[in-house]
Amino acid sequence: MITANGLIQLGYTPEVDFSLQNDGGDTYIKSWLSSDAQPTVSAIEAAEVEWQAAYDALEYSRLRKAKYDLLN
């Protein structure tokens, strides 16, 4: 599946390098604006997995910050 997070993980910027669209089915690249070649769906999916792993690894610190903010 194509995701903005996967494309961002690959170093692209939304609305600068690409725009996505979903018409009720799968998300697709509406327009590719970067001068780089458009990455394959499998490259975007692999980058999404990397992004998700990094995000999940920081879950403890997000939860800890939320608890700390409640105490102050």
Side-chain angles (χ1 to χ4, degrees):
M1 175 184 343
I2 294 174
T3 65
N5 291 333
L7 288 163
I8 292 167
Q9 180 71 21
L10 290 171
Y12 298 107
T13 304
E15 306 307 324
V16 172
D17 295 315
F18 67 91
S19 65
L20 301 180
Q21 186 161 334
N22 184 313
D23 297 326
D26 289 338
T27 300
Y28 62 93
I29 296 174
K30 179 181 177 183
S31 58
W32 186 253
L33 308 168
S34 174
S35 60
D36 294 347
Q38 183 175 314
T40 63
V41 172
S42 61
I44 297 168
E45 289 172 342
E48 167 69 21
V49 170
E50 291 174 13
W51 178 87
Q52 190 65 56
Y55 180 82
D56 292 347
L58 295 174
E59 181 179 21
Y60 173 79
S61 55
R62 285 191 304 276
L63 293 173
R64 187 75 180 148
K65 182 182 180 325
K67 287 181 182 179
Y68 179 78
D69 288 346
L70 288 175
L71 295 174
N72 290 320

